[in-house]
């Protein structure tokens, strides 16, 4: 149980980067961007291709971010300059990226037009390079000995993964928080709230939408690149359903932790991604379910995340109304008593 939850937390933190990208489009820009399913694979495929071709994993990851950013910008151009419906522009880009991703991964094989997957089992990644330094510190052995002493038998092979991804996600969260408070970030937020209003201040909403979509898909591609290096492979189908996972993370986080401030909301999105992976891992441990039921489990989690907050809000509102009604009744009784005393 402990090892399953630990692995879910590791994956959840990496997927949180993708969830932050989804949050920027769906919540900040109010743009239903389905490019995510394609740009996630673009990040994974670009990073894996460059690593196999001998490039440094850090450079491969940066190029993956750039590829995702370009994909998001093209979606923005289709919508703003091509006047295509935002939902349809995302779908068109997602479809186009399927072939583009095959071409990118096909660069690892001579005379090959496309390749559906790339293994990284014998390749150096960001994680493997970090492990070589982390292992020399002896921290893993100390933590695992402590856990075994308190009765936890199944311990992870290394704590390095969760440390490096937690630091990276925290840094990205702080950058996103800072960016959304800058002049451009505030303009993007205003564009999502009211385009007509921000246009009245001479802001170029088309450019803001393009920038927002580019940053969002850059984060999604970064998540894909890290997942490919974490799982040691990139596959053309690994992006299927990413938009649903991202939305589930956003909805769960917002429902549990609230959205009063930007800092709190981005933290809620990260926590939502981790909670989603943990719930998914626990659900798969039920004997009646297997890995083929993951999409069904995801749908149920999203449905619950959408319905339960509304149910509890109605309960709280009904409770507040009942309390106000009781207070008014008591107040009326007191007034009647005072009037009766005055007459006496």
């Amino acid at each position: 149980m402990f090892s399953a939850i630990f692995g879910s937390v590791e994956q959840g933190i990496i997927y949180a980067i993708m969830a932050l990208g989804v949050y920027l489009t769906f919540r900040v820009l109010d743009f239903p961007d389905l490019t995510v399913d394609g740009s996630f694979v673009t990040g994974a495929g670009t990073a894996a291709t460059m690593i196999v071709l001998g490039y440094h994993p850090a450079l491969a990851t940066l190029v993956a971010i750039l590829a995702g950013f370009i994909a998001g910008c093209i979606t923005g151009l289709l919508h703003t300059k091509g006047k295509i419906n935002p939902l349809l522009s995302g779908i068109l880009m997602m479809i186009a990226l399927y072939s583009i991703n095959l071409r990118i991964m096909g660069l690892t094989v001579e005379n090959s037009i496309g390749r559906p997957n790339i293994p990284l089992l014998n390749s150096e990644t960001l994680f493997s390079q970090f492990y070589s330094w982390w292992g020399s510190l002896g921290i893993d052995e100390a933590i695992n000995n402590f856990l075994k002493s308190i009765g936890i038998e199944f311990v992870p092979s290394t704590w390095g993964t969760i440390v490096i991804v937690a630091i990276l996600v925290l840094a990205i969260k702080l950058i996103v928080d800072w960016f959304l408070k800058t002049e451009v970030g505030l303009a993007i937020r205003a564009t999502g709230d009211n385009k007509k209003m921000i246009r009245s201040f001479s802001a170029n909403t088309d450019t803001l939408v393009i920038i927002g979509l580019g940053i969002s898909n850059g984060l999604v591609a970064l998540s894909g690149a890290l997942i490919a290096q974490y799982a040691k492979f990139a596959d053309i189908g690994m992006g299927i359903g990413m938009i649903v996972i991202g939305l589930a993370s956003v909805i769960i986080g917002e429902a549990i932790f609230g959205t009063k401030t930007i800092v709190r909301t981005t933290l809620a999105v990260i926590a939502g991604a981790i909670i989603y992976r943990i719930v998914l891992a626990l659900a798969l441990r039920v004997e009646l379910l297997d890995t083929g039921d993951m999409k069904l489990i995801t749908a149920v989690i999203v449905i619950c995340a959408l319905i339960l907050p509304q149910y509890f809000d109605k309960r709280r509102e009904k409770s507040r109304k009942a309390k106000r009604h009781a207070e008014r009744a008591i107040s009326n009784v007191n007034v009647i008593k005072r009037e009766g005393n005055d007459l006496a």
Side-chain angles (χ1 to χ4, degrees):
M1 178 69 75
F2 177 80
S3 59
I5 293 176
F6 184 85
S8 299
V9 172
E10 285 183 340
Q11 294 181 44
I13 296 175
I14 301 175
Y15 280 113
I17 302 173
M18 180 268 297
L20 285 172
V22 172
Y23 163 74
L24 288 177
T25 50
F26 275 83
R27 286 290 190 258
V28 176
L29 266 179
D30 193 25
F31 191 104
D33 183 25
L34 298 185
T35 313
V36 171
D37 283 16
S39 59
F40 185 87
V41 184
T42 300
T46 301
T49 298
M50 292 189 66
I51 289 172
V52 169
L53 292 176
Y55 291 93
H56 193 279
L59 177 61
T61 303
L62 290 175
V63 175
I65 296 172
L66 178 61
F69 179 84
I70 293 171
C73 288
I74 294 174
T75 300
L77 287 169
L78 290 174
H79 170 60
T80 57
K81 306 304 180 184
K83 305 302 179 184
I84 300 175
N85 177 276
L87 190 63
L88 182 57
S89 61
I91 293 173
L92 290 172
M93 193 60 204
M94 177 184 65
I95 294 171
L97 283 175
Y98 184 87
S99 297
I100 293 171
N101 294 335
L102 285 173
R103 289 274 186 171
I104 291 172
M105 292 193 284
L107 295 174
T108 57
V109 181
E110 292 184 6
N111 302 322
S112 177
I113 296 176
R115 184 179 182 182
N117 53 67
I118 299 175
L120 296 173
L121 294 174
N122 299 318
S123 302
E124 282 288 319
T125 65
L126 287 176
F127 294 105
S128 62
Q129 291 183 347
F130 180 78
Y131 295 155
S132 61
W133 171 78
W134 176 263
S136 63
L137 301 178
I139 297 176
D140 289 335
E141 185 178 355
I143 295 175
N144 290 340
N145 288 337
F146 171 74
L147 292 176
K148 290 178 180 179
S149 67
I150 61 176
I152 299 176
E153 297 182 1
F154 299 99
V155 293
S157 58
T158 180
W159 292 79
T161 303
I162 200 167
V163 170
I164 186 174
V165 296
I167 293 172
L168 180 60
V169 170
L170 179 60
I172 292 172
K173 175 202 161 16
L174 294 175
I175 293 172
V176 170
D177 293 342
W178 167 80
F179 173 75
L180 291 176
K181 293 178 182 178
T182 62
E183 185 176 347
V184 176
L186 288 170
I188 290 175
R189 290 163 62 184
T191 301
D193 288 334
N194 192 328
K195 278 189 178 182
K196 291 182 179 179
M197 182 273 292
I198 194 66
R199 281 198 194 109
S200 67
F201 291 99
S202 301
N204 190 330
T205 55
D206 288 354
T207 302
L208 292 171
V209 168
I210 293 169
I211 292 173
L213 288 171
I215 294 173
S216 169
N217 285 280
L219 290 174
V220 172
L222 171 59
S223 179
L226 293 176
I227 285 292
Q229 295 176 69
Y230 172 83
K232 288 286 188 176
F233 76 95
D235 186 85
I236 193 66
M238 67 192 304
I240 297 174
M242 279 300 118
I243 188 63
V244 178
I245 294 173
L247 283 174
S249 302
V250 173
I251 293 168
I252 291 170
E254 290 181 345
I256 296 175
F257 300 101
T259 59
K260 288 186 177 180
T261 63
I262 289 294
V263 174
R264 183 171 178 175
T265 304
T266 52
L267 183 62
V269 171
I270 293 171
I274 297 171
I275 292 171
Y276 168 79
R277 301 305 305 188
I278 292 174
V279 171
L280 191 64
L282 294 176
L284 290 174
R285 293 181 69 86
V286 178
E287 293 183 1
L288 296 177
L289 301 173
D290 58 25
T291 54
D293 298 319
M294 283 185 64
K295 301 302 180 185
L296 175 62
I297 297 169
T298 298
V300 172
I301 292 172
V302 175
I303 290 169
C304 291
L306 288 170
I307 294 176
L308 290 179
Q310 298 180 41
Y311 171 75
F312 289 122
D313 286 342
K314 288 181 180 179
R315 287 282 301 271
R316 284 194 292 267
E317 183 61 27
K318 188 179 292 185
S319 177
R320 283 195 293 267
K321 287 182 178 179
K323 186 177 180 180
R324 286 197 298 267
H325 180 73
E327 289 174 351
R328 283 197 298 267
I330 294 171
S331 178
N332 291 334
V333 170
N334 290 333
V335 170
I336 292 172
K337 285 182 179 180
R338 282 198 300 271
E339 290 177 351
N341 292 333
D342 291 341
L343 292 173

